[in-house]
Amino acid sequence: MNETKTNFNWYPGHMTKAKRQMQEDIKLIDLVVELVDARLPQSSRNPDIDELGKNKFRLILMNKNDLADPKATEGWTRYFEEKGYAVVCLDARSKNYMNQIHNVIMDVCKEKIERDRKRGIKNRPVRAMVVGIPNVGKSTFINSFAGKAVAKTGNKPGVTKGKQWIRLNKNVELLDTPGILWPKFEDQTVGLRLALVGSINDDILNIDELAMELIRYLKANYPGALAARYDIEEENEDAQVLLAIAKQRNCIKNGGELDYAKAAILVLDEFRSGKLGRISLEMA
């Protein structure tokens, strides 16, 4: 992806507090369950998690798998497994994956369960901490896993506040934590990718610029996706492509002028909802 003019550096105070809280909470748990966005598994990870979670069992859940490029997801699964993580690809809105995840947790933590058994401790549940950056689907996953709405969900970054233990069944307890975003975007491309999938609040971004970055990326990496969706020539300059989409989709202001902003929002929304196809923003 090309360098973007928008400068991303977003680390609210409540996230600093959340990191301190996690340093305390990590002592209480056996397993770190980390949600990432399958479309950008590296950029949607918090780099502090590896340091915080060392010496703990690890499970990575690649959420929004239904929106990601299957080939890219295969590559990322191999990448994380080679690093010693257990990996499950899923759509957190669906309960279909929950038995599989439960079995993986039991398998990952079998050493701990065996140690407890030898010490005469029976039926102590595996304690897992669920972590992930804002808007990656943590609350949705917890609700699906627990089978009821126990965690507040929302599609605005930063909806989850505070912490709570959630008893899933006799085998597993989850500690929910607020999401932590990157403390600093040293590589601006990371900020751009997170913005494209909606992990940074759109209100603080230049949406036209963001849509142009997406158009540029799609033309280079998924040629034909824009042409197929909008019935346009995508070989033109990026601004001309956005103009053509505005025309095709009737994005027009009151005076009859084309509405670039409306077209930009349309393209971003259709990318985020998978209407442009299964697209990943980074490859392993």
Side-chain angles (χ1 to χ4, degrees):
M1 264 189 203
N2 295 355
E3 194 69 27
T4 176
K5 293 175 209 142
T6 308
N7 193 42
F8 302 98
N9 191 357
W10 191 68
Y11 197 58
H14 72 266
M15 293 188 178
T16 309
K17 188 179 165 201
K19 184 182 165 188
R20 276 202 305 271
Q21 187 64 57
M22 274 182 68
Q23 284 165 328
E24 286 304 305
D25 294 340
I26 206 99
K27 298 165 191 167
L28 308 171
I29 60 109
D30 308 303
L31 168 76
V32 177
V33 178
E34 181 184 0
L35 266 86
V36 300
D37 189 314
R39 295 166 294 179
L40 57 161
Q42 197 65 44
S43 293
S44 59
R45 298 190 74 210
N46 183 290
D48 297 330
I49 302 292
D50 281 339
E51 181 57 31
L52 287 166
K54 65 184 181 189
N55 307 323
K56 301 290 177 184
F57 300 111
R58 302 294 299 278
L59 168 60
I60 287 190
L61 301 180
M62 289 212 278
N63 189 26
K64 307 186 185 180
N65 177 46
D66 54 312
L67 300 174
D69 180 335
K71 267 197 187 149
T73 301
E74 273 177 40
W76 282 111
T77 301
R78 278 196 304 275
Y79 170 83
F80 288 127
E81 285 176 346
E82 281 164 12
K83 288 187 171 293
Y85 305 110
V87 180
V88 177
C89 301
L90 76 157
D91 169 5
R93 294 166 305 177
S94 167
K95 293 185 171 58
N96 297 341
Y97 302 89
M98 300 310 148
N99 277 344
Q100 181 192 357
I101 291 166
H102 180 270
N103 293 340
V104 169
I105 289 173
M106 292 293 98
D107 187 51
V108 167
C109 296
K110 61 180 183 280
E111 287 173 35
K112 172 246 174 251
I113 295 163
E114 184 58 24
R115 270 200 313 270
D116 281 355
R117 195 185 62 75
K118 282 180 177 164
R119 289 175 187 157
I121 304 166
K122 287 181 184 168
N123 302 325
R124 184 173 91 72
V126 169
R127 290 189 145 180
M129 178 188 279
V130 183
V131 298
I133 67 164
N135 215 28
V136 81
K138 254 176 357 98
S139 299
T140 304
F141 160 68
I142 290 166
N143 291 344
S144 292
F145 203 10
K148 56 188 182 295
V150 287
K152 187 178 175 189
T153 58
N155 56 7
K156 290 272 185 209
V159 162
T160 314
K161 304 279 192 299
K163 70 163 177 167
Q164 55 185 333
W165 283 100
I166 299 153
R167 185 70 182 258
L168 297 182
N169 52 43
K170 64 182 173 48
N171 296 322
V172 185
E173 280 184 349
L174 289 185
L175 175 62
D176 185 28
T177 56
I180 307 177
L181 200 63
W182 288 68
K184 188 178 176 198
F185 298 120
E186 285 167 1
D187 176 357
Q188 289 298 298
T189 308
V190 169
L192 170 62
R193 288 173 182 151
L194 288 168
L196 285 170
V197 298
S199 282
I200 298 173
N201 200 319
D202 284 345
D203 298 343
I204 64 169
L205 303 171
N206 181 328
I207 294 298
D208 295 11
E209 214 175 272
L210 203 54
M212 299 279 272
E213 290 285 355
L214 178 61
I215 287 167
R216 194 170 304 141
Y217 179 79
L218 292 173
K219 280 165 62 176
N221 296 279
Y222 291 90
L226 290 164
R229 178 72 186 163
Y230 301 112
D231 193 22
I232 56 164
E233 294 284 333
E234 65 173 47
E235 290 75 24
N236 295 326
E237 285 182 15
D238 304 332
Q240 292 299 318
V241 171
L242 189 58
L243 182 77
I245 292 169
K247 271 184 192 158
Q248 282 293 82
R249 287 304 178 89
N250 238 7
C251 299
I252 296 166
K253 294 179 182 173
N254 285 343
E257 189 187 339
L258 287 171
D259 192 336
Y260 276 99
K262 193 174 176 186
I265 291 164
L266 174 85
V267 174
L268 286 168
D269 283 349
E270 296 209 332
F271 159 67
R272 289 170 182 172
S273 62
K275 287 176 182 160
L276 290 172
R278 294 181 69 173
I279 289 162
S280 291
L281 296 180
E282 56 189 14
M283 308 294 163

